[in-house]
Amino acid sequence: MRVETQGPEAKAERMTKPIRDTQGPRHVAIIMDGNGRWATQRGRPRLFGHHAGAKRVREVVDACPDFGVKYVTIFAFSTENWKRTQVEVAGLMSLFRRYITSEARALRKENVRVRFIGDRVRLDDKLINLMDELELMTADCTGVNLTIALNYGGRDEVARATRRLAQDVADGRLRPEDVNEETLPKYLDTYVLPDPDLVIRTSGEARISNFLLWQSAYAEYEFVDTLWPDFTAEEFGKLLAAYGARDRRFGAVKA
Ligand code: IPE
Ligand code: IPE
Ligand code: MG
């Protein structure tokens, strides 16, 4: 993957679709679930569903500026997903490599800044290089912030953060009395992102499966029956509109 990232042509090539100012959520996190069932319903292997699911991501990301969504975070592979068959895991890893390679140019053109969260240690070098390249290539994009959670688990993230925090305390860079709700999240993978306002899960499961545990403490949730490969921008828009009607109190009582 070689794409020119510097220079005036690179800038001119980029679309600058403004992000609308709406009453909707600023940060939406999505648990893209149901690919396997979608494929099984069609008598096809699970990977067929993963490929169909990957195609849906573009539609949702493209819709974000119109709906006023500045950050979208998608759950692509969890720390628990290694428990699946070797065929499915290898197929997913190959899909991620292909996805990054084929989508990179379009993402940059649409001014999408891509980041990855999760533990990279278990991923193969080729995939890590592609992830690094895509992050670098879109580092100066100013539109939608797309974060892809890959080998991500909320508990794993908190454990890794705590390990680094403990090291800072041991090395005298942080005092134990300074560990609080403001300093701890600086050690999380999401340290540059605001907390999600809305978490959407497709496929009818009403659980969060270890996604953004710390960050979603006060998020609103939408669980929809649609399987991820059938999820459309239209349905996304309806969920965002419904969010506008919610009363977020954060523990307080409105006057
Ligand atoms: C979500 O779809 C994608 C990943 C977890 C990688 P699933 O593969 O979990 O699909 P179902 O839940 O089995 O239908
Ligand atoms: C959550 O879906 C992980 C991703 C969408 C990547 P799973 O399908 O792995 O979750 P469970 O097993 O139903 O909880
Ligand atoms: Mg699932």
Side-chain angles (χ1 to χ4, degrees), residues 32-38 46 50 76-77 81 84 88 92:
M32 311 183 291
D33 196 18
N35 295 347
R37 277 163 283 171
W38 186 89
R46 294 177 58 84
H50 294 313
F77 192 88
N81 287 148
R84 297 186 179 198
E88 184 167 350
L92 280 164

Side-chain angles (χ1 to χ4, degrees), residues 108-181:
R108 196 170 67 87
K109 197 169 171 191
E110 279 148 34
N111 204 18
V112 176
R113 176 154 189 187
V114 184
R115 296 180 180 88
F116 290 91
I117 55 170
D119 189 3
R120 296 186 183 197
V121 167
R122 241 181 123 171
L123 303 176
D124 73 65
D125 289 345
K126 203 169 164 212
L127 178 57
I128 296 171
N129 285 341
L130 288 167
M131 289 158 67
D132 283 341
E133 265 190 89
L134 184 56
E135 284 189 334
L136 198 68
M137 223 175 96
T138 61
D140 63 346
C141 290
T142 53
V144 174
N145 290 273
L146 168 65
T147 302
I148 303 174
L150 217 167
N151 192 27
Y152 175 87
R155 287 182 171 181
D156 175 70
E157 179 192 35
V158 171
R160 284 186 288 106
T162 307
R163 203 181 306 146
R164 285 189 288 116
L165 185 149
Q167 191 63 55
D168 276 355
V169 171
D171 295 346
R173 283 189 293 269
L174 184 73
R175 295 182 306 171
E177 56 270 37
D178 290 333
V179 178
N180 55 44
E181 289 187 26

Side-chain angles (χ1 to χ4, degrees), residues 10 13 47 52 58 73 82 86 88 94 132-133 139-140 151 157 164-165 191 197 217 252:
E13 194 192 292
L47 276 166
R58 165 118 38 126
T73 299
W82 298 102
Q86 203 265 334
E88 184 167 350
S94 152
D132 283 341
E133 265 190 89
D140 63 346
N151 192 27
E157 179 192 35
R164 285 189 288 116
L165 185 149
Y191 65 100
D197 301 297

